[in-house]
Amino acid sequence: MLVLNKSDVAHALTMADCIDAIETALADNARGQYRQFPRVVLRAEDTPAMMGLMPVFRRGERPLWAMKDIMVSSANHALGLDTHQGAVLIHDGITGVITAMVDANEITATRTAATSAVATRALAGKDLQRIAILGTGRQARAHIDALRVLAPGAKFTVWGIDAEQASRLAKASDCEVCPSAQAAVSDADVICTVTASQTPILELDWIKEGCHINAVGTSAPTSRELAADVFCSAECFVDSRSQAEAECGEYLIPLDEGLITADHILAELGEVLIGEHLGRSGPRALTVFKSLGLPMEDLAASVRAIENAQRLGVGQLVLW
């Protein structure tokens, strides 16, 4: 069994390589190459931590099973730890033998930002001059890296609730820090919302015509980063319809309020990638990609990291 820790994954999986792996996997998923199963979220009394279990099966000549075991704990902020901790287990699809264990924290951060980059390439306009990042955590840093691969000449703006943390991120990432979310998104061609906010942080009146939004930061039926008028006015795409119907507050809240109908989600991103949907209707359209996070993305990123690590001689081989 090959074991890749956080530093191994960071060394073996570049952002550009992850973007390529995710784009291929999303297209393959739209063609039926993957079978995904409902995410299981487990909570217990007297602890701030919760566990998520995300299983997936990949068909093909070399079938694989994978399970991401991810712990999320808000208490980690005070300890200087990332809120997400866990591992991706890779099994041979025929024998069930465990072939690899990969750090889930690095995989999650990289594949989530890479998925937003794939969505931006598929759904945004072609000339990206200004990109706004709302949020200051691990995903904010990863999204700056990912969108810089896609648009190396773009100007980046950053805003966060914690002004000091936003300033540190902007300085470390060579971005412009802004005093408000409205200032950050002013004239932005792409907006990435990567916060832990349970209530909307983005309003329709602030957004430039033809903008593309990657909504990433919350995946709960009662939480949302986008105000209802943003989501209702946009051409909306998701990574998974079934996940959106189960846990996407941006979709479920206005649906319950009668502001949209069930067909407001136009397509999954993979369907756009293989040409089953054209994507944005024109240069003036507002588009939203709601990222829920899929286990097939974890599997695809992990497989690419494993392949690269084997070539580079990275990681530990453990008898199992």
Side-chain angles (χ1 to χ4, degrees):
M1 178 176 70
L2 179 65
V3 177
L4 300 181
N5 63 24
K6 183 176 180 178
S7 61
D8 294 331
V9 176
H11 180 63
L13 186 65
T14 67
M15 184 60 74
D17 215 18
C18 191
I19 291 170
D20 177 71
I22 294 298
E23 186 167 38
T24 299
L26 287 168
D28 286 344
N29 183 51
R31 299 184 182 104
Q33 188 74 4
Y34 291 85
R35 182 176 178 188
Q36 298 183 101
F37 300 86
R39 185 190 339 240
V40 178
V41 178
L42 305 173
R43 293 179 173 87
E45 300 81 7
D46 304 320
T47 174
M50 66 177 185
M51 173 179 279
L53 302 176
M54 300 170 65
V56 61
F57 174 68
R58 189 190 76 179
R59 300 178 173 88
E61 293 183 7
R62 185 191 168 196
L64 295 174
W65 279 92
M67 167 74 80
K68 183 167 80 170
D69 157 16
I70 193 78
M71 297 294 301
V72 183
S73 177
S74 58
N76 286 4
H77 287 298
L79 302 174
L81 297 172
D82 286 332
T83 55
H84 291 64
Q85 302 289 331
V88 181
L89 291 178
I90 311 294
H91 297 254
D92 182 277
I94 297 174
T95 66
V97 170
I98 299 176
T99 60
M101 181 170 68
V102 183
D103 175 77
N105 192 25
E106 191 69 22
I107 286 291
T108 301
T110 306
R111 65 82 159 151
T112 303
T115 303
S116 291
V118 173
T120 301
R121 182 154 57 193
L123 298 171
K126 302 304 179 186
D127 186 22
L128 306 182
Q129 298 293 322
R130 188 178 176 95
I131 297 173
I133 307 293
L134 304 186
T136 59
R138 179 70 179 89
Q139 273 303 325
R141 299 194 300 273
H143 273 71
I144 292 169
D145 293 341
L147 273 295
R148 279 211 166 114
V149 172
L150 197 67
K155 178 181 179 181
F156 282 72
T157 56
V158 170
W159 169 82
I161 294 174
D162 186 326
E164 186 175 329
Q165 192 168 337
S167 183
R168 287 197 299 268
L169 173 63
K171 184 176 180 180
S173 305
D174 192 24
C175 301
E176 175 190 349
V177 66
C178 294
S180 67
Q182 183 176 1
V185 304
S186 176
D187 203 35
D189 301 299
V190 176
I191 301 168
C192 299
T193 61
V194 288
T195 74
S197 179
Q198 305 297 295
T199 56
I201 59 169
L202 188 62
E203 298 182 14
L204 184 63
D205 290 345
W206 305 347
I207 300 170
K208 173 184 175 180
E209 185 178 79
C211 183
H212 170 71
I213 301 168
N214 296 306
V216 179
T218 181
S219 298
T222 58
S223 304
R224 52 180 171 172
E225 293 178 300
L226 308 185
D229 58 355
V230 177
F231 196 81
C232 295
S233 300
E235 297 175 354
C236 296
F237 303 84
V238 294
D239 45 10
S240 166
R241 280 192 184 86
S242 61
Q243 285 293 105
E245 290 166 355
E247 60 183 22
C248 177
E250 271 91 359
Y251 169 69
L252 293 172
I253 294 172
L255 182 67
D256 289 344
E257 294 173 347
L259 300 176
I260 58 173
T261 57
D263 60 356
H264 191 70
I265 294 173
L266 299 181
E268 293 184 351
L269 180 55
E271 294 168 340
V272 176
L273 295 176
I274 65 172
E276 288 188 358
H277 193 283
L278 294 177
R280 68 165 46 231
S281 62
R284 300 175 64 181
L286 170 64
T287 54
V288 166
F289 169 67
K290 177 56 190 176
S291 175
L292 284 308
L294 305 180
M296 53 137 297
E297 296 163 2
D298 298 304
L299 175 54
S302 296
V303 167
R304 185 64 64 91
I306 291 164
E307 292 170 347
N308 291 349
Q310 290 172 331
R311 188 180 69 255
L312 297 168
V314 171
Q316 285 184 290
L317 283 173
V318 176
L319 294 178
W320 188 259

